[in-house]
Amino acid sequence: MPLDAKDLGVPVHTALCRQEVGQFLNALNEPEAIVVACTQERSLFSELASQAEKPLIAPLKFVNIRELAGWTQEGAQSTPKIQALLALADLSEPDPVPVVDYKSEGRVLIIGSGASAFYWANQLGSSLEVSVLCTQPGPLPTSRDFPVFTGQVTKLEGFLGRFQVSWDLKNPIDPEMCTRCGACVAVCPENAIDTSFQIDLNKCKSHRDCVSACAGIGAINFERTDQAREGEFDLILDLQETPSVQISQKPQGYFAPGLDSFAQSLAASQLIGMVGEFEKPKYFAYNDKICAHGRNGKVGCSACIDVCSTKAIQSSFKDGQGKVEVNPNLCMGCGACATVCPSGAMRYNYPSVAYQGKQIKTLAQTYLGALKSSKPGDAAPSLLIHSQKAGTALLDQLGRAARLHTKEISGLPAFVIPLAVEHIASTGIDLWFGSLAYGFGEVLLLLSGDEDPGYRGALAEQAELANSILLAMGFSKRIRCIEAKSTEDIASVSKVMTELRQRKAQKLLAPPASFALSMQKRETLESSLEHLLQFAPQALPAEGVPLPAHSPLGGLLVNQDACTLCMSCVGACPEGALLDNPDEPQLSFIEKQCVQCGLCEQTCPENAIQLSPRLRSIEDRKQKVTLNKTEPFHCISCGKAFGTLKMVELMLGRIGTHHAFSGEALSRLKMCSDCRVVDMMKKEL
């Protein structure tokens, strides 16, 4: 596709990596940051830059405009998209994030059957400090080059440099104590012991001749079969058919290739390189002050715990107050916890939503500026969000296939702008609605097939919620998940792209917003909703529009007949959505603050509260409303107000018939605490 340098506003080259490479070398001497619109020759340009005499003022940046824009049936109409991609590449880098450290000394535990475990122990023994845990007997090596244990794993947890493993022996012979002299084999009348130096308990008839033969060593003890052992290791090579760690995203340093010999070889080669000190980004930030996990011993929201595929997030209660604890070494950076968090207490930080908002705003402004389009009803670009690794590989292959097979394969339409993120599960409704407010007509989420099923379910659930909110405002559905089977199978994605091209671009929902996305999820969401509601085709009814049960937006329904205004719910609310009144018995509510965590519902002793997920107007949600109120109850002795009329009436109704509260005792229940003591003292005198 020929590019117009005047339209793009930048120099255009056709053979920069070959005949025109001198122009790149000249550019290295210029006092400006360099963006290279080619990713195929990244290695070449990086090497040339490293050999330059003058240091670069900023790292080289690369963007792929060929597969993402040029190689498509609509390449001639892709100039606005190319301009947007170039503008995105020219953005400053996000602020650095803290790092998480690992330290490995190469202590590896190999778990599996004797034959395969001993084979890999011998192969890795010269590079790593090897130990073997045999889960199935096998001939022991003739030399004692590494520790050998037997048994079944009962617990395996941890991460690179700090794995804790526990196992049960399951056999009377401890191979670490055994000298492999063969005396037990020679004396066993049932031939229950062989060169694995483990006893076949199905054959053993309890003669115990082996125990006597091993008396001087003590390696055989029939009372030891239920004993547990444990150890700490830096690395794990799990060769079992069913791995000990049953989660989709395994912790750093844990390899489970199963029985496949080729996969075992790949795992072994990776293990050799995992000795030393390592670091990775700390992907998340957590604010326990606004976390809605628990109060007063009750569990409210546990969305982040439920969705985490690495089990990095755990519940923690102290003095009745609940929060979550995240192990940064186990966190793999999917960001799903932030996506499902209703309050924004869990925040994705690599990069932050604020920086991603800057990226999206740049893309939308540049594209719409090239089209001179900014009014509702005008055509708007579509934002295609994908994971950095798998999604980028898939789109590159799609563009290349579209170039070579123009009739069979459809590349990206000119109005579809891709945005790579660290992991597709890290984006949620705050970013999606921000994208629509900035001028995108829809948000497409490309799932490449390698995501944890829980992440796909969470994204589908969040997309359903987002579309329900859009429908409530009178818009059409604008959030869509696209699933691809694998990076090798691009037919499904090509089909979707063909459908998009035939359908053409969606329309702008509203004039592009100018606000910046906030680090606070609720603030970003509120700003985006307020902007879209100004231009919504239909007004929201006063009572609001119902939303799905997992909505973070909504109100409360209070059964006023059952509510005693004990204010337990106020103390349980982590967001300050429920308020009491120090001057009179009154329960108030600010819907904007409510995250639908359910702590008030669970705390209420009268079961008088029910969540009501719904969407109301911004003004209605900001208002403080009274959910219930009653008259105060006055002491029958001094007249001072204490408690509520309803609470005292309920108390009298429940215990007034008990013999312990007859006569004067019943009257004291109607007194304040001071008068009750005075009355009791008078009666005693």
Side-chain angles (χ1 to χ4, degrees):
M1 180 200 74
L3 297 178
D4 191 318
K6 183 178 180 181
D7 285 345
L8 291 175
V10 295
V12 175
H13 306 275
T14 57
L16 188 64
C17 58
R18 294 294 179 260
Q19 295 96 325
E20 299 175 319
V21 72
Q23 298 189 42
F24 173 75
L25 296 175
N26 292 334
L28 294 176
N29 298 318
E30 298 296 329
E32 296 179 354
I34 299 177
V35 176
V36 181
C38 174
T39 54
Q40 175 178 296
E41 302 295 337
R42 183 193 303 265
S43 298
L44 171 63
F45 292 124
S46 298
E47 182 179 354
L48 292 174
S50 67
Q51 298 172 357
E53 295 181 0
K54 293 175 58 178
L56 296 179
I57 64 170
L60 279 179
K61 296 181 179 180
F62 298 88
V63 58
N64 183 357
I65 64 171
R66 186 174 65 180
E67 279 83 3
L68 298 182
W71 283 355
T72 171
Q73 287 87 335
E74 296 182 349
Q77 292 84 46
S78 293
T79 298
K81 178 165 72 169
I82 293 174
Q83 288 178 309
L85 292 174
L86 291 173
L88 175 64
D90 200 33
L91 278 179
S92 59
E93 294 293 321
D95 293 333
V97 299
V99 296
V100 180
D101 296 319
Y102 296 91
K103 185 176 181 179
S104 168
E105 297 177 356
R107 300 170 301 163
V108 58
L109 176 66
I110 303 176
I111 306 172
S113 62
S116 59
F118 294 142
Y119 172 80
W120 286 114
N122 287 320
Q123 298 300 313
L124 297 172
S126 60
S127 303
L128 302 171
E129 184 180 332
V130 174
S131 298
V132 172
L133 174 58
C134 277
T135 55
Q136 298 177 19
L140 290 182
T142 56
S143 59
R144 297 172 62 91
D145 296 327
F146 43 79
V148 177
F149 312 103
T150 60
Q152 298 296 322
V153 176
T154 56
K155 184 178 74 172
L156 197 162
E157 58 187 20
F159 47 84
L160 174 64
R162 198 178 298 174
F163 283 103
Q164 288 82 38
V165 185
S166 300
W167 63 91
D168 289 336
L169 291 179
K170 297 296 182 184
N171 202 275
I173 300 181
D174 185 344
E176 267 306 279
M177 297 178 65
C178 175
T179 63
R180 308 171 197 179
C181 66
C184 57
V185 178
V187 300
C188 180
E190 291 91 12
N191 295 321
I193 310 175
D194 56 20
T195 54
S196 67
F197 293 99
Q198 293 287 279
I199 300 176
D200 186 339
L201 297 177
N202 292 321
K203 294 181 179 180
C204 179
K205 304 302 181 183
S206 302
H207 291 91
R208 301 300 188 259
D209 292 348
C210 57
V211 177
S212 300
C214 193
I217 305 300
I220 306 176
N221 184 346
F222 279 83
E223 296 179 358
R224 193 162 45 206
T225 55
D226 292 327
Q227 289 184 1
R229 296 287 179 87
E230 60 183 22
E232 185 172 299
F233 305 92
D234 299 313
L235 301 160
I236 302 293
L237 177 59
D238 193 340
L239 305 176
Q240 300 175 100
E241 184 175 6
T242 302
S244 294
V245 176
Q246 291 292 312
I247 55 177
S248 60
Q249 285 193 285
K250 306 297 191 291
Q252 295 275 15
Y254 178 87
F255 297 87
L259 305 181
D260 182 79
S261 57
F262 180 70
Q264 290 178 1
S265 299
L266 292 178
S269 64
Q270 290 178 279
L271 282 166
I272 295 174
M274 301 196 73
V275 180
E277 296 184 2
F278 306 89
E279 63 181 34
K280 70 174 182 181
K282 184 181 179 183
Y283 295 102
F284 67 93
Y286 174 61
N287 181 1
D288 62 343
K289 291 184 173 64
I290 59 173
C291 179
H293 178 56
R295 290 290 189 279
N296 303 325
K298 302 285 187 180
V299 176
C301 173
S302 60
C304 61
I305 298 174
D306 297 336
V307 80
C308 181
S309 69
T310 65
K311 306 301 180 185
I313 309 177
Q314 302 294 328
S315 173
S316 174
F317 271 82
K318 184 177 182 180
D319 299 327
Q321 303 304 300
K323 61 178 183 178
V324 298
E325 293 183 349
V326 188
N327 187 326
N329 294 92
L330 288 177
C331 173
M332 299 296 283
C334 68
C337 54
T339 296
V340 300
C341 178
S343 66
M346 194 68 72
R347 191 174 75 241
Y348 193 67
N349 219 27
Y350 191 71
S352 65
V353 169
Y355 182 80
Q356 290 179 323
K358 186 178 179 181
Q359 290 179 303
I360 292 170
K361 192 174 186 179
T362 298
L363 288 172
Q365 285 183 339
T366 306
Y367 182 94
L368 294 173
L371 291 181
K372 299 179 176 57
S373 172
S374 61
K375 297 179 180 179
D378 290 346
S382 297
L383 181 65
L384 178 65
I385 303 178
H386 62 89
S387 294
Q388 179 71 53
K389 292 182 180 179
T392 298
L394 179 62
L395 293 181
D396 285 351
Q397 291 186 19
L398 177 66
R400 188 153 299 191
R403 170 70 170 176
L404 300 176
H405 309 283
T406 55
K407 294 183 179 180
E408 297 84 6
I409 300 296
S410 178
L412 288 179
F415 59 84
V416 176
I417 303 179
L419 175 66
V421 296
E422 181 70 12
H423 197 291
I424 187 63
S426 66
T427 69
I429 58 174
D430 51 339
L431 191 71
W432 304 342
F433 279 115
S435 303
L436 297 177
Y438 281 153
F440 279 97
E442 65 182 339
V443 177
L444 308 171
L445 307 172
L446 179 59
L447 308 178
S448 53
D450 59 349
E451 303 87 3
D452 180 83
Y455 299 159
R456 293 198 294 271
L459 286 172
E461 190 176 78
Q462 292 293 306
E464 177 203 10
L465 170 63
N467 285 323
S468 297
I469 293 174
L470 289 168
L471 291 173
M473 292 189 285
F475 297 114
S476 59
K477 295 181 179 181
R478 299 298 180 97
I479 312 297
R480 180 178 176 185
C481 293
I482 302 173
E483 291 196 30
K485 295 179 181 179
S486 67
T487 54
E488 288 76 24
D489 182 10
I490 61 172
S492 58
V493 180
S494 175
K495 181 179 179 182
V496 172
M497 296 306 148
T498 301
E499 293 172 355
L500 288 174
R501 182 177 289 106
Q502 293 172 348
R503 188 207 61 194
K504 298 185 179 180
Q506 294 275 26
K507 305 298 183 182
L508 274 170
L509 277 69
S514 59
F515 60 82
L517 300 194
S518 167
M519 298 288 281
Q520 305 304 320
K521 180 175 184 175
R522 300 290 296 196
E523 185 178 329
T524 291
L525 184 57
E526 294 290 339
S527 298
S528 301
L529 289 177
E530 186 170 8
H531 180 77
L532 294 175
L533 278 168
Q534 293 179 36
F535 303 93
Q538 64 187 34
L540 294 171
E543 68 277 10
V545 177
L547 293 178
H550 53 272
S551 169
L553 306 174
L556 297 177
L557 302 176
V558 174
N559 184 340
Q560 296 182 351
D561 294 330
C563 175
T564 63
L565 290 168
C566 68
M567 301 302 171
S568 297
C569 54
V570 175
C573 181
E575 312 299 333
L578 285 165
L579 307 168
D580 63 358
N581 189 329
D583 299 321
E584 58 179 320
Q586 180 176 299
L587 177 65
S588 301
F589 177 63
I590 302 176
E591 188 162 327
K592 179 177 178 289
Q593 302 295 113
C594 181
V595 299
Q596 297 285 289
C597 66
L599 278 169
C600 57
E601 186 179 41
Q602 295 189 49
T603 301
C604 179
E606 311 301 336
N607 296 319
I609 299 179
Q610 180 182 349
L611 298 179
S612 177
R614 64 190 179 189
L615 180 67
R616 302 178 72 201
S617 70
I618 298 296
E619 288 304 316
D620 287 340
R621 297 177 63 244
K622 288 180 179 178
Q623 300 300 318
K624 182 169 76 172
V625 298
T626 300
L627 296 180
N628 196 15
K629 64 180 180 178
T630 187
E631 297 297 324
F633 187 86
H634 297 274
C635 174
I636 62 174
S637 178
C638 69
K640 182 176 67 175
F642 79 97
T644 67
L645 176 62
K646 185 175 292 186
M647 184 183 296
V648 174
E649 288 177 346
L650 181 63
M651 178 179 62
L652 293 174
R654 289 183 175 178
I655 67 175
T657 57
H658 195 279
H659 64 84
F661 295 96
S662 59
E664 296 173 350
L666 184 62
S667 298
R668 292 193 188 110
L669 293 177
K670 303 176 184 179
M671 299 179 186
C672 66
S673 57
D674 294 336
C675 293
R676 195 176 304 134
V677 173
V678 171
D679 185 69
M680 291 176 65
M681 296 299 293
K682 285 181 179 179
K683 299 304 180 183
E684 290 181 5
L685 294 175

